Amino acid sequence: MAQRETWTSRIGFIFAAVGSAVGLGNIWSFPFQTAANGGAAFLVVYLLAVFLIGFPTMMIEFVIGRRGEQNPVAAFEKIGYGNWSFTGGLGVFSSLVTLSFYSVVGGWVLSYIVGSATGAYFGDPGTYFGSVASGPTAIAAHAVFMAITIGIVASGVTDGIERATKVMIPAILVLLVGMAAWATTLSGASAGYEYYLSPDFGVIADNFASIVPPAMGQAFFTLSLGFSVMIAYSSYLGRDDSLPADGGAIVVVNTLVALLAGFVIFPIFFATGGAEGAGSGGAGTAFVALAGAFGSLPAGQIIGFVFFAVLLFAALSSSISLLEVPVSYVTESYGYSRGTTAVVMGLAIALLGVPATFGTSWLGFYNDLVFNIFLPIAVLLFAVFAGWVANREAVDELGRGSSVGESFTTAWLWWIRIVVPIAVIVTLYLGVESLYTGLTSGAYF
Ligand code: TRP
């Protein structure tokens, strides 16, 4: 087998992993989920989910990845549990399905960059959304977004992914900080911060069952967990890198980007009419609400352009990792060339995504299928594997190359044995229930 291409440095790995994590989830879904679920109340639950459940789960994928030193399917064999390979495969499969609709939304973002430049959505944001979110425009934009993704992945780990994310991540951070600073000058800024940052614990208590599943789903999705991506990426890590330190850095930067997006969006909403309605009603409302807000701001055209450019960078830095995982699996297992594999798989994924260009209900169905079912199941399987099946020697991978002691590993082990599975099972139960209700009530089709 050919020598595996690898990160040129530990920083290269961190950039790529942050690139995977920072995506539409941070800048598009996070603020809108927050708006839809009570503002600061959701924020609190989300942050708890990220640090208490998401971070330990990321450590599971890192342990499997670095211990396995292989693609996510072969990794389980290498650790000595070949009959668990299917869990890695489930993650790879989820990546395919997710990319198919993620790219459709990426296409919308492209259309909104064009729309900001020409001012096309300023007059009637609702109609503009309708015209770009389904039909021929949506298909064309989806195709362009996939083509860019394929191009970067075909160029390889170092020349493609590492180079692209090293430019995009700093650009995202700088532009978001700039926009957040500008947003402080808006007249609605303080009301926006109030809604975003002052939690009403009564709201949390009253809406616990409806806040927890989206907060947990969002925590997994935003950290790219359950997709075997972190297994694949950490398989390239050196023995002397600290998994908890690298994972901590990734989680913190990813959270920072989401929080910054909130600092941009909430002042804008409150300056232009409030957050009510912005979060409800699914995928499209976010675009319509934002475009409407940009349309009524003095410098809206420029702000809109920059905002959607940031969103595009974030989407691309994630879509390349969604394609990289299946591509590296196929190239390593079957020996096809990277270029051909990227093109063939990219085309297949693009086709799978076509129904999501018919209308937002299909897109919502794909999204909920991944969010509510695939993702929690994969995370649960990873936790059961690492917590109850793998031997202690494999699990001790967590502390290798790091200064954390044996007791840290033991504490983590019990946490992923008990707490993580309970949290995921509750989320899965509520998620299946809501998908079932959606299907039987005709909410999707
Ligand atoms: N984390 C990405 C976001 O927030 C989306 C995502 C989920 C992802 N799983 C992934 C990206 C796997 C790459 C790989 O938008």
Side-chain angles (χ1 to χ4, degrees):
M1 196 181 11
Q3 175 74 32
R4 295 180 87 206
E5 206 185 351
T6 178
W7 311 115
T8 49
S9 64
R10 176 166 170 224
I11 291 297
F13 159 74
I14 293 180
F15 267 113
V18 168
S20 162
V22 169
L24 294 171
N26 303 59
I27 302 172
W28 175 53
S29 335
F30 164 73
F32 289 94
Q33 299 251 23
T34 307
N37 291 295
F42 179 84
L43 180 64
V44 170
V45 180
Y46 166 77
L47 289 175
L48 289 174
V50 164
F51 288 98
L52 295 182
I53 309 295
F55 176 68
T57 302
M58 182 179 277
M59 292 303 101
I60 301 177
E61 293 202 27
F62 280 8
V63 161
I64 298 172
R66 187 169 69 179
R67 185 94 191 149
E69 286 187 302
Q70 293 287 329
N71 65 64
V73 177
F76 287 89
E77 281 155 31
K78 177 110 191 273
I79 303 175
Y81 302 90
N83 48 359
W84 278 79
S85 298
F86 75 97
T87 52
L90 177 68
V92 175
F93 177 73
S94 304
S95 300
L96 298 176
V97 178
T98 302
L99 181 54
S100 77
F101 71 85
Y102 203 84
S103 165
V104 172
V105 181
W108 299 355
V109 177
L110 284 171
S111 299
Y112 272 88
I113 292 179
V114 175
S116 305
T118 62
Y121 60 69
F122 280 40
D124 186 350
T127 308
Y128 185 77
F129 179 75
S131 69
V132 301
S134 58
T137 314
I139 296 189
H142 165 54
V144 172
F145 186 88
M146 264 321 278
I148 302 174
T149 303
I150 292 171
I152 299 175
V153 172
S155 309
V157 170
T158 324
D159 287 341
I161 298 180
E162 220 179 294
R163 193 183 285 175
T165 48
K166 271 189 178 160
V167 177
M168 290 194 283
I169 298 302
I172 291 170
L173 279 168
V174 169
L175 292 173
L176 276 179
V177 169
M179 279 191 289
W182 164 83
T184 60
T185 66
L186 293 172
S187 63
S190 53
Y193 300 140
E194 166 86 21
Y195 181 74
Y196 183 35
L197 300 174
S198 323
D200 178 343
F201 290 97
V203 173
I204 304 183
D206 292 345
N207 301 289
F208 196 70
S210 69
I211 291 182
V212 169
M216 288 274 293
Q218 178 64 20
F220 290 139
F221 190 79
T222 190
L223 295 173
S224 301
L225 299 173
F227 291 73
S228 306
V229 174
M230 295 300 172
I231 297 182
Y233 277 19
S234 58
S235 70
Y236 300 107
L237 270 179
R239 288 271 158 219
D240 46 1
D241 290 328
S242 162
L243 300 183
D246 286 7
I250 293 161
V251 171
V252 167
V253 176
N254 182 63
T255 306
L256 201 67
V257 172
L259 290 176
L260 274 172
F263 277 105
V264 176
I265 283 178
F266 284 101
I268 291 182
F269 278 162
F270 279 82
T272 58
E276 309 320 321
S280 58
T285 23
F287 279 84
V288 177
L290 265 178
F294 292 144
S296 61
L297 288 170
Q301 204 157 347
I302 298 171
I303 297 294
F305 185 83
V306 175
F307 182 86
F308 288 116
V310 168
L311 200 51
L312 179 69
F313 282 160
L316 275 174
S317 72
S318 296
S319 65
I320 53 184
S321 100
L322 284 166
L323 184 58
E324 168 63 18
V325 173
V327 164
S328 65
Y329 168 63
V330 169
T331 49
E332 277 183 21
S333 314
Y334 303 100
Y336 298 124
S337 81
R338 167 174 280 275
T340 317
T341 313
V343 171
V344 172
M345 296 202 85
L347 283 176
I349 293 168
L351 281 179
L352 181 65
V354 167
T357 65
F358 297 165
T360 48
S361 50
W362 265 93
L363 191 113
F365 175 69
Y366 277 26
N367 181 72
D368 293 353
L369 198 61
V370 169
F371 242 77
N372 297 5
I373 312 283
F374 292 169
L375 209 150
I377 289 180
V379 169
L380 185 60
L381 289 170
F382 292 162
V384 169
F385 174 75
W388 297 99
V389 178
N391 58 30
R392 175 72 196 215
E393 206 215 323
V395 170
D396 275 339
E397 185 69 40
L398 182 72
R400 247 162 242 140
S402 121
S403 56
V404 303
E406 186 80 356
S407 52
F408 181 87
T409 305
T410 305
W412 167 76
L413 187 57
W414 282 100
W415 193 260
I416 63 165
R417 278 184 177 166
I418 312 280
V419 182
V420 171
I422 291 177
V424 177
I425 288 170
V426 171
T427 310
L428 183 62
Y429 172 78
L430 295 166
V432 170
E433 189 178 63
S434 104
L435 191 75
Y436 179 77
T437 315
L439 280 172
T440 48
S441 69
Y444 298 110
F445 309 109

